[in-house]
Amino acid sequence: APSTLNTLNELAAALGDDANFSTTVTNSIAAKLPLAGGTMTGALNMGSQNITNAGTISSGTIDAGNVQITSTGSIELFRANGAFIDFKDSSSDDFDSRIMGGNSLIFTAGGAGSTVTALTLASGGATFGGTIGSGAITSTGTIKAQATTGNNRGVSLSINGEIAQTS
């Protein structure tokens, strides 16, 4: 032993003169989170480390800055200029498809700096950004067609096999 710990008194001083040293150490070890799990009362700071093999994360809201996963099952996105969800082919892609929220729900496609709005859903209805292709469109209400040209020529609509056409 080093010369500074050559008596029982010096050893006791090094251990904080704790008459119940064994109990103190046992209680300190017992206060640690067991490997099998337990309840933490403070925040866990992982620094730059990843959480891997997490399994199920439950109870309350998981808050990751501008994204929350709530205990009721909703995913909530918050962003000053409008939240969005990107669908990418790879991590290096800008995005291939995007859903944006706000006062309406906007579906866009594109990427690499080029975006085309495919569909906008708002409280007043749906607006398509291109051609609608379908084998059949069924409606229990009125179907209206509007020309995209100023003279209303070339618009035709077939209802129950009859063709109504403007000229």
Side-chain angles (χ1 to χ4, degrees):
S3 62
T4 57
L5 298 177
N6 58 4
T7 69
L8 288 176
N9 192 35
E10 290 169 341
L11 185 57
L15 297 176
D17 285 323
D18 186 353
N20 296 311
F21 178 74
S22 175
T23 302
T24 301
V25 170
T26 300
N27 290 341
S28 177
I29 292 171
K32 303 295 180 192
L33 187 65
L35 291 176
T39 301
M40 295 182 65
T41 57
L44 179 61
N45 184 345
M46 296 294 294
S48 63
Q49 301 301 311
N50 294 326
I51 298 175
T52 59
N53 301 321
T56 301
I57 300 174
S58 61
S59 182
T61 298
I62 300 170
D63 192 342
N66 293 345
V67 178
Q68 290 183 345
I69 303 173
T70 68
S71 59
T72 59
S74 66
I75 299 173
E76 299 174 2
L77 308 174
F78 307 95
R79 187 168 175 255
N81 295 329
F84 56 86
I85 301 171
D86 281 349
F87 299 91
K88 301 179 177 190
D89 281 341
S90 69
S91 61
S92 63
D93 272 354
D94 177 13
F95 69 90
D96 296 304
S97 298
R98 175 177 281 178
I99 301 173
M100 296 181 286
N103 293 333
S104 58
L105 188 58
I106 302 169
F107 295 85
T108 62
S114 175
T115 304
V116 176
T117 298
L119 171 63
T120 302
L121 300 175
S123 61
T127 304
F128 292 89
T131 302
I132 301 171
S134 175
I137 298 175
T138 305
S139 174
T140 57
T142 303
I143 298 176
K144 296 180 181 179
Q146 180 177 352
T148 56
T149 60
N151 60 14
N152 290 333
R153 296 185 191 277
V155 176
S156 64
L157 181 61
S158 173
I159 301 175
N160 294 329
E162 296 183 21
I163 298 176
Q165 183 170 354
T166 62
S167 49

